[in-house]
Amino acid sequence: MTQPQYKLGPLLLAPGVLPRHGWSFLVVAFLSIGLMIFISVGQTYILNVNLGIPDDQQGGITGALIAWTEAVALLLFIPAGILIDRVSRRGVYAAGFLLLALTYVLYPYAESVGDLYLYRCTVYALGFVAVSGALSTVMVDYPAERSRGKLVALVGFLCGLGVAVLQGVSALPKAFVAQGMTEIEAGRAMHFAIAALCVAAAWLAATTLKPGVPASPRRRPSVRELFVSGFAEARNPRVLLAYSAAFIARGDQAVNAFFLILWGTLAGKAAGMAPAEAVTMATLAMFVPAQIAALIWAPILGPFLDRFDRVTALAICMVLAAIGNLSLLLLADPLSGVSIVFFILLGIGQISVFLAAQSLIGQAAPTEKRGSVLGAFNVSGAIGILLITWSGGWLFDAIDPRAPFVVVGIINVLLFFASLYVRLKTAPQPAPAAAPAAG
């Protein structure tokens, strides 16, 4: 018997997904990305305050830390996808948040860069894989096809809003120091506040999301089939293109999260700011405007993603991202008054590619293998982060702080042409007509 379909406001949900599941997911999604990438603020703070790393070494260390984390994540995404497909979306989601909480408890006690490698490549990598994998899978599960682009855009908006709000926590150390704490004590208090939010997010995911995994009318795939299915699906040109888009979308996110804050922090220190003040300035004056631009742009982009063929939409989004990244070649001083225009373009381009890639893979992934296909999708993203941040960290120190963004912009241009090729070689796949909704 066909299950009824409900609505989440104007959005049509997939069969069996209740409005309360949808509302709960929106809250959890709001917290997910912000809690994962807050480590960029914490790490910059620790490198400057706790460890006193010289400025000319921080780009390379940051890039290497991210790259090694992603190298570990590469080994974990497919097993995590199998758990998501076979056991529980919400169980993996909750476990990921608890691992992030443990990371934020341990991180401010690092006594060396080696300790940062240990915490990032073990505890954080596990939490990151679990949260990002579950987020991507649930985002594919919950919408009906005709509302997929809109829900992806809404989730993108909430993720961006969560990032912008949670980055505001970076101002806490300055306030704590003013109350008499040392800079190291203030940094620990900031990390503990984020850890508490991770625990709250774990509780929400474990108790309010839809239990189990989606029912499939076909035979349930074996673990072996699930393990190979993500890569086997790349024979579909649209899936392969989506994997390529994940490569650059995730690399772009990492470059924005880490190198934008690091660029601003070093520029602030060069202008005479204290390290804690420079981190706060870089986060609030550079990174947050990019995120605000992204969250405002996301709901504008959503209806466009549903109206047009999703490969066509991806091609246009690659152009927007290329403009955002390559325009930084014109920005010499990130602290200048006009710099906010460049950060706005950067945020719009980054969220555009992220949403277009999610929308495309959501349409192309088979229902019974979604966790595994999304695992392969995330593997591609992890490879993007690994290669782009490792090379970007070296280029940041050796050539120019803008170099990582230029690398991303060049890849955006190449994938624009790849999108055109796939669009010309495959039949268009518009969203299906509306179906009646319950309630």
Side-chain angles (χ1 to χ4, degrees):
M1 186 176 68
T2 303
Q3 292 181 300
Q5 288 182 265
Y6 299 90
K7 282 193 170 184
L8 184 68
L11 307 179
L12 185 65
L13 297 173
V17 179
L18 302 179
R20 61 184 173 86
H21 298 142
W23 289 116
S24 298
F25 173 57
L26 295 182
V27 176
V28 175
F30 168 82
L31 295 169
S32 295
I33 302 296
L35 291 176
M36 283 194 291
I37 71 170
F38 188 83
I39 198 168
S40 62
V41 174
Q43 185 168 289
T44 301
Y45 190 94
I46 289 167
L47 289 175
N48 282 277
V49 175
N50 295 44
L51 303 181
I53 301 298
D55 292 355
D56 61 357
Q57 297 178 23
Q58 291 189 30
I61 291 172
T62 297
L65 280 165
I66 302 169
W68 278 108
T69 303
E70 296 302 322
V72 175
L74 283 172
L75 305 176
L76 301 175
F77 271 122
I78 296 299
I82 293 172
L83 287 176
I84 290 168
D85 274 339
R86 299 280 295 195
V87 181
S88 169
R89 266 72 158 148
R90 69 181 190 178
V92 173
Y93 218 155
F97 280 123
L98 292 178
L99 288 164
L100 292 181
L102 180 57
T103 301
Y104 290 124
V105 170
L106 293 172
Y107 226 57
Y109 287 96
E111 296 181 352
S112 67
V113 173
D115 288 343
L116 296 182
Y117 277 106
L118 176 64
Y119 301 148
R120 275 201 68 127
C121 295
T122 54
V123 183
Y124 176 78
L126 286 167
F128 166 76
V129 166
V131 171
S132 59
L135 171 66
S136 296
T137 306
V138 175
M139 184 160 50
V140 169
D141 284 344
Y142 278 20
E145 186 57 44
R146 62 178 288 257
S147 292
R148 184 173 306 283
K150 298 181 187 69
L151 182 62
V152 166
L154 177 58
V155 170
F157 170 84
L158 291 172
C159 288
L161 181 62
V163 168
V165 171
L166 292 176
Q167 299 305 303
V169 178
S170 66
L172 288 179
K174 185 178 178 180
F176 291 149
V177 168
Q179 294 175 1
M181 286 187 181
T182 66
E183 287 192 319
I184 291 178
E185 291 171 341
R188 288 174 178 168
M190 173 182 69
H191 280 81
F192 295 161
I194 291 295
L197 283 175
C198 291
V199 173
W203 178 83
L204 282 171
T207 59
T208 64
L209 296 181
K210 190 176 186 294
V213 297
S216 173
R218 289 179 272 182
R219 178 182 64 87
R220 195 179 190 189
S222 67
V223 170
R224 181 181 179 279
E225 288 175 311
L226 289 172
F227 189 83
V228 301
S229 63
F231 299 105
E233 288 297 321
R235 289 174 295 187
N236 179 340
R238 287 175 171 253
V239 173
L240 180 59
L241 179 63
Y243 289 172
S244 301
F247 174 93
I248 194 57
R250 292 283 308 285
D252 200 355
Q253 283 182 321
V255 166
N256 285 358
F258 286 90
F259 292 117
L260 197 61
I261 293 174
L262 182 58
W263 184 18
T265 298
L266 298 183
K269 288 174 64 178
M273 297 180 187
E277 182 184 4
V279 172
T280 300
M281 182 281 304
T283 303
L284 299 182
M286 296 173 62
F287 184 69
V288 169
Q291 293 304 307
I292 292 175
L295 69 90
I296 293 173
W297 180 249
I300 298 172
L301 183 64
F304 170 81
L305 295 176
D306 280 336
R307 184 175 179 182
F308 295 95
D309 178 87
R310 292 198 166 102
V311 173
T312 303
L314 181 63
I316 296 171
C317 290
M318 286 295 173
V319 173
L320 294 174
I323 292 171
N325 283 291
L326 296 178
S327 68
L328 291 184
L329 287 170
L330 304 176
L331 179 63
D333 179 11
L335 306 183
S336 65
V338 74
S339 64
I340 192 170
V341 175
F342 294 88
F343 304 143
I344 289 172
L345 292 174
L346 199 65
I348 289 174
Q350 180 263 309
I351 196 66
S352 295
V353 171
F354 173 78
L355 297 182
Q358 290 284 349
S359 184
L360 178 58
I361 196 63
Q363 182 186 58
T367 302
E368 70 278 7
K369 301 176 182 178
R370 278 178 179 165
S372 299
V373 171
L374 268 295
F377 180 81
N378 286 324
V379 165
S380 179
I383 293 172
I385 293 176
L386 190 157
L387 296 178
I388 292 171
T389 55
W390 203 321
S391 60
W394 179 81
L395 293 170
F396 185 100
D397 286 337
I399 299 178
D400 191 277
R402 297 167 294 184
F405 302 94
V406 174
V407 170
V408 172
I410 292 171
I411 299 174
N412 290 143
V413 173
L414 295 176
L415 284 179
F416 163 72
F417 289 109
S419 300
L420 289 183
Y421 177 81
V422 172
R423 178 64 182 84
L424 293 172
K425 292 293 183 179
T426 61
Q429 296 181 16

